[in-house]
């Protein structure tokens, strides 16, 4: 039984780097139109944080918008969740998102959005 534990541990350590890469893999996407400055909040169905720099917004009707931040936003890819505040009925490229850290809603890094690029995700 002692031989199995080190082997299992070695397997877990060897698998971990690949798992981390897959978790932060960004699906290929083709441009599906001109970038938009804003998207309507009421049409956002899901946000898919891909890594520290890429967020896909799934909209009503199955349309996707990809935001590629100008710079990586620390911990965004790890935490995979964020908040935002806007007084408009839209989320816009000049708005700021704040990473939510841990199991609470403790604020992490705040980062500016970028234009919303309509995309078709690869299958």
């Amino acid at each position: 039984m002692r031989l199995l534990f080190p082997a299992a541990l070695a397997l877990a350590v060897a698998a971990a780097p690949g798992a981390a890469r897959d978790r932060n893999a960004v699906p290929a996407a083709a441009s599906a139109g001109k970038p938009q400055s804003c998207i309507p909040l009421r049409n956002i169905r899901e946000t898919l944080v891909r890594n520290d720099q890429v967020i896909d917004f799934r909209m009503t009707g199955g349309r996707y918008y990809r935001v590629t931040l100008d710079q990586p936003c620390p911990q965004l890819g790890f935490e995979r969740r964020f908040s935002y505040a806007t007084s408009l009925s839209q989320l816009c490229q000049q708005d700021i998102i704040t990473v939510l850290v841990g199991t609470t809603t403790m604020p992490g890094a705040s980062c500016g959005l970028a234009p919303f690029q309509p995309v078709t995700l690869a299958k």
Side-chain angles (χ1 to χ4, degrees), residues 50-70:
R50 304 301 188 174
N51 59 29
D52 284 348
Q53 205 164 1
V54 177
I55 306 167
D56 287 334
F57 291 83
R58 185 176 66 84
M59 308 298 285
T60 302
R63 185 170 195 166
Y64 284 87
Y65 286 93
R66 177 165 286 178
V67 171
T68 303
L69 305 176
D70 293 334

Side-chain angles (χ1 to χ4, degrees), residues 12-96:
V13 170
R21 276 193 305 271
D22 292 342
R23 183 172 193 262
N24 289 320
V26 178
S31 174
K34 293 172 43 176
Q36 304 295 307
S37 296
C38 302
I39 57 174
L41 289 174
R42 71 180 179 278
N43 291 348
I44 299 173
R45 293 295 167 247
E46 180 179 24
T47 56
L48 302 161
V49 176
R50 304 301 188 174
N51 59 29
D52 284 348
Q53 205 164 1
V54 177
I55 306 167
D56 287 334
F57 291 83
R58 185 176 66 84
M59 308 298 285
T60 302
R63 185 170 195 166
Y64 284 87
Y65 286 93
R66 177 165 286 178
V67 171
T68 303
L69 305 176
D70 293 334
Q71 299 177 45
C73 191
Q75 293 187 297
L76 180 62
F78 179 78
E79 297 294 343
R80 301 245 187 262
R81 57 195 193 113
F82 60 89
S83 66
Y84 55 85
T86 181
S87 60
L88 305 173
S89 60
Q90 302 180 88
L91 188 60
C92 297
Q93 70 183 37
Q94 68 271 13
D95 289 332
I96 305 294

